[in-house]
Amino acid sequence: MASSVSSSSRGIAAIVGVGPKLGRSIARKFAHEGYTVAILARRLSRLAEEIAREEKAQVFAIRIDCSDSKSVRDAFEGVLSLGFVEVLVYNAYEPLSPTSFQHLRVETFQKSLAVSTVGAFHCAQQVMPGMVERGKGTILFTGCSASLNGFPGYSQLCCGKFALRALAQCLAREFQPQGVHIAHVIMDGVVGPPRRRTSSVGDQQSSTGEGVEGTMDPDALAQTYWHLHVQDRTAWTQELDLRSSNARFF
């Protein structure tokens, strides 16, 4: 665990699935906005310490295996001990390579579904009671191009992401009337490394460096996640897709 000495005046933002790109940028953005951030990942790194230092925020690192229901429960026992979880971002995915359906092992297929969908189910169940009780909260699920289209060699990913989209829609219709905002964010392209900026991800800045052509800047994407969280409840977004202006359409 890593934290700064200052305390947050807001709730907890739990970011599940944090690596060096999108997850890191989302965690930094919510830390910048005054949230205590819980970073949940299969492999712990120094990201929590870096974000805490950069944003002068409380940031906690907790190990989680989203394919294991007990691991999810244990991880969220630690998260919930920090306080009310106001924001849940589910950004976990199972890295994979294209595999012909004829050679796809059922264990690989099940593992991908477990991470993409079952893990999201368990994480949402952990935080939903507190959100409903308080009549507020935000749950954001990260999707991708495979949430909408099937691709040869990626049946395990597509099935998991299709199901995640359905889960997001079902939860939105059930819990948005109770004050919980649920949205599905589709990454319709490749997320690249962050571009160099003159200040924190919390501020709107022009890029001072060049990213990989056609990729999406995770700092810019994190801004969208934040805007979803602060939307007025009379105009909530349930689903949106994001892509680079010069990216090829899948």
Side-chain angles (χ1 to χ4, degrees), residues 209-246:
E210 295 297 328
V212 179
E213 182 179 1
T215 63
M216 296 183 285
D217 180 0
D219 286 353
L221 296 172
Q223 293 281 356
T224 298
Y225 280 74
W226 172 254
H227 291 317
L228 287 171
H229 173 54
V230 299
Q231 278 184 328
D232 188 278
R233 64 175 57 200
T234 64
W236 274 349
T237 297
Q238 180 183 305
E239 181 173 82
L240 57 77
D241 58 344
L242 301 168
R243 63 181 63 84
S244 172
S245 61
N246 59 349

Side-chain angles (χ1 to χ4, degrees), residues 146-166:
S147 302
L148 302 176
N149 301 288
F151 297 99
Y154 289 94
S155 57
Q156 68 274 47
L157 174 66
C158 295
C159 289
K161 289 299 185 179
F162 266 59
L164 179 65
R165 185 183 187 220

Side-chain angles (χ1 to χ4, degrees), residues 42 92-100 104 107-116 144 146 151-161:
R42 186 161 35 193
Y93 75 100
E94 178 70 9
L96 52 86
S97 300
T99 305
S100 168
L104 181 61
E107 295 83 6
T108 303
F109 186 84
Q110 291 173 332
K111 180 69 175 291
S112 183
L113 263 66
V115 173
S116 292
C144 64
F151 297 99
Y154 289 94
S155 57
Q156 68 274 47
L157 174 66
C158 295
C159 289
K161 289 299 185 179

Side-chain angles (χ1 to χ4, degrees), residues 49 55 119 142 187 200 230:
E49 295 177 0
E55 302 299 339
T142 299
M187 302 292 121
S200 168
V230 299

Side-chain angles (χ1 to χ4, degrees), residues 27-106:
R28 283 187 63 205
K29 176 59 180 174
F30 278 88
H32 180 81
E33 297 295 341
Y35 280 82
T36 295
V37 174
I39 289 176
L40 296 97
R42 186 161 35 193
R43 297 179 183 88
L44 299 183
S45 66
R46 292 194 171 187
L47 289 179
E49 295 177 0
E50 294 173 3
I51 295 171
R53 182 176 62 252
E54 293 169 359
E55 302 299 339
K56 297 179 174 59
Q58 288 191 320
V59 184
F60 298 87
I62 299 174
R63 192 181 304 278
I64 191 172
D65 179 354
C66 293
S67 67
D68 184 335
S69 60
K70 183 179 184 303
S71 176
V72 174
R73 289 194 301 270
D74 291 345
F76 272 89
E77 183 177 344
V79 175
L80 294 169
S81 71
L82 301 174
F84 165 54
V85 178
E86 186 179 336
V87 181
L88 169 66
V89 176
Y90 191 82
N91 187 53
Y93 75 100
E94 178 70 9
L96 52 86
S97 300
T99 305
S100 168
F101 180 76
Q102 296 180 82
H103 302 107
L104 181 61
R105 295 169 59 87
V106 66

